[in-house]
Amino acid sequence: MTDPAALAQRKMQFLFALRSKGVTDQAVLTAMERIDRGPFVRGLFSERAYEDTPLPIACGQTISQPSVVGLMTQALDVSPRDKVLEVGTGSGYQAAILSQLARRVYTVDRHKRLVREARAIFEAMDLANITAFSSDGSFGLPDQAPFDRIIVTAAAEDPPGPLLQQLKVGGIMVVPVGQSDSVQSLIRVRRHEAGFDYDEMRPVRFVPLVEGLAPDS
Ligand code: SAH
């Protein structure tokens, strides 16, 4: 067991690292201060939960680097009335951060096990405004569409068409775009009356968006 003083120190460093990498939005920083990354990282890697690094989770996936979570959340510009869709629940960490900023968060993952484990953490943390489903997120979530904000946390070769269609006019989508085995670009898409604006933000590296539900895990 780590002693409380050392833990408090690590959490301070965690917030400092976020700020120094450009996460400056106070609401995002407050959300990231409130949501402990510890419970989302299991086993061997839990010791490293407060490092600004991506870490392995179950099903061969990864929990994203905290500063990237912060920058993506900031770029999404979420307001308290927003309904948000996340594609790629993974550990559930990004959805938990969003739950502090949005009215309602829907999150989907193709791995049932990840969805099950993330739901258990949401319940334990009392994050009642998140709904997690197992489904292929490249089709979005037609029953709940349209969304004010969409965040994709797996890399697609292009922003998936159904997700663009499920974005409200005035809405924002953040998505890593590019080949899965190389560096991708984080893109911010804004929908307006006449179409879409694309804005390239920074290079990132995400696991690929894969078609179809994963075999039972
Ligand atoms: N946001 C996560 C990290 C996501 S890792 C976190 O905060 O921990 C990317 C996730 O996308 C993986 O869990 C992977 O299973 C999921 N994924 C990949 N393709 C998908 C698809 N088509 N539909 C839904 N989820 C997908």
Side-chain angles (χ1 to χ4, degrees), residues 21 65 67-69 71-72 155 175-179 182-188 199-206:
K21 296 210 172 131
Q65 183 177 352
S67 55
V68 172
V69 171
L71 291 169
M72 286 174 83
V175 52
V177 170
Q179 301 291 332
S182 64
V183 173
Q184 306 119 11
S185 275
L186 192 61
I187 306 284
R188 178 168 45 191
D199 201 350
E200 200 170 323
M201 292 172 56
R202 52 173 274 142
V204 282
R205 189 183 279 269
F206 275 84

Side-chain angles (χ1 to χ4, degrees), residues 126-146:
D126 231 355
L127 304 177
N129 63 341
I130 309 177
T131 309
F133 294 112
S134 48
S135 73
D136 181 349
S138 13
F139 298 103
L141 211 50
D143 289 353
Q144 305 300 336

Side-chain angles (χ1 to χ4, degrees), residues 51-136:
E51 290 177 24
D52 189 29
T53 183
L55 291 168
I57 56 170
C59 307
Q61 305 302 315
T62 30
I63 176 171
S64 311
Q65 183 177 352
S67 55
V68 172
V69 171
L71 291 169
M72 286 174 83
T73 308
Q74 196 165 274
L76 208 57
D77 194 19
V78 180
S79 39
R81 300 173 62 101
D82 285 349
K83 182 166 69 163
V84 182
L85 171 65
E86 179 194 27
V87 175
T89 312
S91 66
Y93 180 63
Q94 171 76 73
I97 307 284
L98 291 168
S99 77
Q100 304 297 296
L101 301 164
R103 173 170 60 82
R104 176 109 228 132
V105 179
Y106 291 92
T107 181
V108 301
D109 202 288
R110 59 187 292 277
H111 285 280
K112 286 196 182 123
R113 172 174 168 194
L114 293 175
V115 170
R116 207 166 49 232
E117 291 180 356
R119 272 189 194 141
I121 304 178
F122 302 150
E123 257 175 54
M125 289 186 163
D126 231 355
L127 304 177
N129 63 341
I130 309 177
T131 309
F133 294 112
S134 48
S135 73
D136 181 349

